[in-house]
Amino acid sequence: QVSYDGKRILFSYRPGQTHRFHLYEINADGTGLIQLTDGDYDDIEPTYLPNGQIMFCSTRCNRIVNCNLVQSAVLFTCDADGRNLRQVSSNNETENTPWPLPDGRVLFTRWEYVDRGIGPFKALWTVNPDGSGLMTYFGNMKPGHYIDAKPITDTEQVVAIKSTHMGREHIGQLVVLDVKQGPDERRRVKTIAKGRDFRDPFPVAQSGFLVARRGQILTIDD
């Protein structure tokens, strides 16, 4: 993610010959690379918060997915310099791609596995940066997988990827969601592109998006 002043870039990276992803930051001109986190854990999918902190997903929770012997990564925060790490989610399953909403909440993908089977209940949820106010945002009552969601400026809509349950989890259809009619109103899901190999959407206007596809960065309208 690019910082709000446009001067820094925050990302997750695993150098060659190493085994863990950690958070890094670099100036937009390519100078000043610094490593923010370390240790025997994976720190991924970071985002800048308006209060100056960073939210990210991490395996520091030391939890295992119920139906597979893989580590879960849930929401954590840290200061801008990587210090004062704090777990803000109690979920047992994996969470993904946190991103701030205009009202201060954080939108993210939560794999919900309470009182339900292995089906793809990977819906969008919101939470306050301190971990309070956890609430469903879209798609929790019916199977589905929505990921990489981001708010569209000056609207109540978000752009996201509608993906599959397992495997190519960040790749899928490019969709726009409108939750004004409720958190499970599937008729408010608008498919922007029918291909199933889009990823990493980013809204640049109310009717225009950047999106990655097959090694390319594309622009696409609504």
Side-chain angles (χ1 to χ4, degrees):
Q1 184 184 0
V2 179
S3 63
Y4 293 101
D5 60 9
K7 296 180 179 180
R8 293 164 291 133
I9 299 171
L10 177 66
F11 61 100
S12 177
Y13 176 59
R14 180 181 66 82
Q17 309 304 315
T18 67
H19 300 283
R20 295 294 187 180
F21 286 86
H22 293 300
L23 305 188
Y24 289 78
E25 192 176 49
I26 194 170
N27 294 328
D29 63 3
T31 63
L33 176 66
I34 58 174
Q35 182 175 338
L36 300 177
T37 62
D38 57 20
D40 192 26
Y41 302 96
D42 289 300
D43 304 319
I44 60 174
E45 300 174 353
T47 186
Y48 289 113
L49 296 178
N51 65 2
Q53 288 187 310
I54 294 168
M55 182 174 281
F56 60 101
C57 302
S58 178
T59 59
R60 296 172 186 272
C61 58
N62 291 309
R63 297 173 184 179
I64 301 295
V65 171
N66 285 351
C67 59
N68 201 347
L69 294 178
V70 295
Q71 291 178 292
S72 295
V74 303
L75 299 181
F76 279 73
T77 58
C78 67
D79 293 343
D81 58 4
R83 298 180 181 179
N84 294 320
L85 281 83
R86 177 175 179 265
Q87 184 176 337
V88 298
S89 171
S90 62
N91 196 17
N92 192 67
E93 315 303 331
T94 294
E95 295 169 338
N96 289 102
T97 57
W99 199 272
L101 291 172
D103 62 8
R105 295 176 298 165
V106 177
L107 180 66
F108 68 103
T109 297
R110 175 185 173 98
W111 187 358
E112 183 54 54
Y113 218 151
V114 177
D115 294 331
R116 61 186 68 193
I118 195 175
F121 288 95
K122 297 182 178 180
L124 297 178
W125 289 61
T126 58
V127 69
N128 295 324
D130 64 359
S132 65
L134 181 67
M135 183 62 64
T136 59
Y137 184 81
F138 187 84
N140 188 51
M141 294 302 294
K142 299 177 182 178
H145 186 178
Y146 299 91
I147 198 165
D148 281 316
K150 301 176 181 70
I152 300 173
T153 302
D154 295 327
T155 74
E156 297 182 40
Q157 300 175 333
V158 300
V159 62
I161 295 296
K162 182 181 180 182
S163 188
T164 58
H165 176 39
M166 295 291 187
R168 304 169 68 197
E169 292 189 338
H170 285 258
I171 299 176
Q173 294 178 318
L174 181 66
V175 299
V176 168
L177 309 176
D178 186 338
V179 300
K180 291 194 298 293
Q181 304 301 318
D184 289 286
E185 180 49 76
R186 295 302 179 93
R187 290 174 294 182
R188 305 301 292 184
V189 179
K190 178 182 178 181
T191 301
I192 302 301
K194 294 182 179 180
R196 297 181 180 273
D197 54 357
F198 293 98
R199 65 184 302 153
D200 300 320
F202 193 92
V204 293
Q206 291 186 15
S207 59
F209 313 95
L210 291 174
V211 66
R213 188 187 198 192
R214 301 175 185 172
Q216 295 179 315
I217 297 176
L218 308 173
T219 58
I220 187 169
D221 62 25
D222 61 354

